[in-house]
Amino acid sequence: MSTIKETMQNFAMNQALKYVEGNPEENIPKLMSMVDKFTPKDWYAGQRDAIRGAIDAKNNWYQLILKVYDLDPGVRKAFFQNFLFNASLKGSATQDELSAREDCNIPWAILLDPTSACNMHCTGCWAAEYGHQLNLSLEDIDSIITQGKKLGTYMYIYTGGEPLVRKKDLIRICEMHPDCEFLSFTNGTLIDEDFCREMLRVKNFVPAISLEGFEEANDSRRGDGVYRKVHDAMALMKEHKLPFGISTCYTSRNVDDVSSEAYFDQLIDAGALFVWFFHYMPVGNDAAVELLPTPEQRLKMYEAIRGFRSTKPIFSMDFQNDAEYVGGCIAGGRRYLHINAKGDVEPCVFIHYSNVNIHDVTLLEALKSPLFMAYHRGQPFNDNMLKPCPMLENPEILPGMVKETGAVNTDYQSPETAEHLCEKTRPYAEKWSPAAEKVWEKGASEQ
Ligand code: SF4
């Protein structure tokens, strides 16, 4: 994209945002009318329709937009600039261009583990599989981001381990890359008054706190007293007008709680702007296979999230059931990739196989490594978007890709073969398939 076009788009976006700031309730509808008048009919038509519909109906999405206008103005401005303009508008154009030129996937977001260390030990956490003493240095993280920006990637998401064990370095990275948006999965127990002030200062750091349900269920997986600590952290961030979200892993044990209206209401009352749901994955030799949800439980999540999406002022996403909105599996750099604390570049946070380490290759070389190219060629792995995964719903695919590409397991504590992993998901996939076919066909016939 030409620099002149970029500059003009950026200028227009900043003017529009400035206009809304004064009186969002009155000016958002006016701004949308202006946008409709001056932009060609087919530009972002779907998105514009959705925003206009929300404004007209004054529905839950409109309420969510107004909540964004309750945030600290500097943090909001950085979010719009980094997330909307740099990552999504300008970044996506660069990613598409490079993807076509280099004939490989170019990611929208990079997930990375600053550390494998964690102050807690939760049942079923993938982080527990890597061991507890690895770190990406400040220079490593800076280099990944510097390379990523050249590819059009402005969105960085920290996983772990507990990323906030390294909070000083993470704030330093925010200062070094003020044009990027940083989101961090966290257990929330290390968020305090000082850190809130630091987040307000740098403006481009958004926590996503892990919560597994109500107090009893949460603490049974995460430890006694964690639920209270998390609620204290959320109260602190709300008080400081900081944006934050929730990440919830659903399992056979907590589906009833986390699909309930009370759970959603609790998150909204606490001030969360988004909730991301993850399906439990039985990764690692010691995985608790019994935590895999049954087909009925997965459908319950599917229906609950879709229902609340049209009634509750919170942005909810279910990574296993929402593949239809992103064209299937997003791993292998198609939308994202994962770099663990040792530097191994993996297609996905749940897929612990790799051919390359970021200490030995460039980011672009990693995207062209054999396993990433196998993802690139194989995606989507299934036409049914309720069966997107080469490990969970298509367990015959991952072992083949790992074998063909010579990728090695990156769990150094207890290496697991792809065959062993997929033996655990095969019975799940067989049981889920009829339900997935039924729901998918129903959706197709309703369109
Ligand atoms: S590999 Fe599986 S879990 Fe990872 S993004 Fe793809 S579908 Fe999701």
Side-chain angles (χ1 to χ4, degrees), residues 40 47 52 131 141 202 258 263 349 353-354 405 440:
Q47 288 90 332
R52 209 180 5 260
I141 301 174
V202 294
V258 302
Y263 186 65
V349 280
Y353 301 93
S354 174
T405 60
W440 187 243

Short mmCIF file of all heavy atoms in Angstrom, two decimals, residues 40 47 52 131 141 202 258 263 349 353-354 405 440:
data_model
loop_
_atom_site.label_atom_id
_atom_site.label_comp_id
_atom_site.label_asym_id
_atom_site.label_seq_id
_atom_site.Cartn_x
_atom_site.Cartn_y
_atom_site.Cartn_z
N PRO A 40 -17.16 4.72 -1.13
CA PRO A 40 -17.81 3.89 -2.15
C PRO A 40 -18.67 2.80 -1.49
O PRO A 40 -18.30 2.28 -0.42
CB PRO A 40 -16.63 3.26 -2.89
CG PRO A 40 -15.47 4.14 -2.60
CD PRO A 40 -15.71 4.76 -1.26
N GLN A 47 -19.13 -4.65 7.41
CA GLN A 47 -18.81 -4.06 8.71
C GLN A 47 -19.64 -2.81 8.96
O GLN A 47 -20.13 -2.59 10.07
CB GLN A 47 -17.32 -3.68 8.78
CG GLN A 47 -16.38 -4.86 8.90
CD GLN A 47 -15.93 -5.39 7.55
OE1 GLN A 47 -16.66 -5.27 6.55
NE2 GLN A 47 -14.77 -6.00 7.50
N ARG A 52 -23.95 0.16 11.70
CA ARG A 52 -25.18 0.97 11.56
C ARG A 52 -26.37 0.28 12.24
O ARG A 52 -27.14 0.90 12.96
CB ARG A 52 -25.48 1.20 10.09
CG ARG A 52 -26.22 2.50 9.83
CD ARG A 52 -26.53 2.74 8.38
NE ARG A 52 -26.16 1.62 7.52
CZ ARG A 52 -25.06 1.58 6.79
NH1 ARG A 52 -24.23 2.57 6.80
NH2 ARG A 52 -24.80 0.51 6.04
N GLY A 131 8.06 -27.17 30.94
CA GLY A 131 9.12 -27.01 31.92
C GLY A 131 9.08 -25.58 32.42
O GLY A 131 8.29 -24.77 31.93
N ILE A 141 12.62 -10.76 21.96
CA ILE A 141 11.24 -10.28 21.75
C ILE A 141 11.26 -9.06 20.83
O ILE A 141 10.47 -8.96 19.89
CB ILE A 141 10.54 -9.95 23.10
CG1 ILE A 141 10.50 -11.21 23.99
CG2 ILE A 141 9.12 -9.43 22.88
CD1 ILE A 141 9.97 -10.99 25.40
N VAL A 202 1.95 3.47 29.31
CA VAL A 202 2.37 3.02 27.98
C VAL A 202 1.19 2.93 27.01
O VAL A 202 1.35 3.03 25.80
CB VAL A 202 3.14 1.68 28.00
CG1 VAL A 202 4.46 1.83 28.72
CG2 VAL A 202 2.31 0.56 28.61
N VAL A 258 -19.80 -21.95 32.77
CA VAL A 258 -19.29 -20.89 31.89
C VAL A 258 -20.20 -20.59 30.70
O VAL A 258 -19.99 -19.62 29.98
CB VAL A 258 -17.83 -21.16 31.42
CG1 VAL A 258 -16.90 -21.31 32.61
CG2 VAL A 258 -17.74 -22.37 30.51
N TYR A 263 -22.70 -16.27 34.46
CA TYR A 263 -21.26 -16.13 34.23
C TYR A 263 -20.99 -14.91 33.35
O TYR A 263 -20.13 -14.07 33.67
CB TYR A 263 -20.71 -17.40 33.57
CG TYR A 263 -19.20 -17.39 33.42
CD1 TYR A 263 -18.37 -17.39 34.53
CD2 TYR A 263 -18.60 -17.39 32.16
CE1 TYR A 263 -16.99 -17.38 34.40
CE2 TYR A 263 -17.22 -17.38 32.02
CZ TYR A 263 -16.42 -17.38 33.14
OH TYR A 263 -15.05 -17.37 33.02
N VAL A 349 -0.53 -22.60 19.60
CA VAL A 349 -0.19 -22.81 21.02
C VAL A 349 -0.44 -24.24 21.46
O VAL A 349 0.15 -24.69 22.44
CB VAL A 349 -0.99 -21.89 21.97
CG1 VAL A 349 -0.43 -20.51 22.04
CG2 VAL A 349 -2.45 -21.87 21.66
N TYR A 353 4.96 -28.91 17.91
CA TYR A 353 5.87 -29.52 16.94
C TYR A 353 6.47 -28.40 16.10
O TYR A 353 5.78 -27.41 15.80
CB TYR A 353 5.14 -30.55 16.06
CG TYR A 353 4.52 -31.63 16.91
CD1 TYR A 353 3.20 -31.52 17.34
CD2 TYR A 353 5.29 -32.72 17.33
CE1 TYR A 353 2.65 -32.48 18.17
CE2 TYR A 353 4.75 -33.69 18.17
CZ TYR A 353 3.42 -33.57 18.59
OH TYR A 353 2.90 -34.51 19.42
N SER A 354 7.73 -28.56 15.73
CA SER A 354 8.40 -27.47 15.03
C SER A 354 9.63 -27.98 14.28
O SER A 354 10.23 -28.98 14.67
CB SER A 354 8.83 -26.41 16.07
OG SER A 354 9.60 -25.41 15.45
N THR A 405 7.09 -33.71 7.47
CA THR A 405 7.95 -32.53 7.55
C THR A 405 9.15 -32.73 8.48
O THR A 405 10.01 -31.85 8.58
CB THR A 405 7.15 -31.32 8.08
OG1 THR A 405 6.63 -31.65 9.38
CG2 THR A 405 5.99 -30.98 7.15
N TRP A 440 -23.79 -28.04 10.99
CA TRP A 440 -23.22 -27.35 9.83
C TRP A 440 -24.20 -27.36 8.65
O TRP A 440 -24.42 -26.35 7.99
CB TRP A 440 -21.89 -28.00 9.45
CG TRP A 440 -21.16 -27.25 8.39
CD1 TRP A 440 -20.84 -27.68 7.14
CD2 TRP A 440 -20.65 -25.91 8.48
NE1 TRP A 440 -20.16 -26.70 6.46
CE2 TRP A 440 -20.02 -25.60 7.25
CE3 TRP A 440 -20.65 -24.94 9.49
CZ2 TRP A 440 -19.43 -24.38 6.99
CZ3 TRP A 440 -20.05 -23.71 9.24
CH2 TRP A 440 -19.46 -23.44 8.01
#
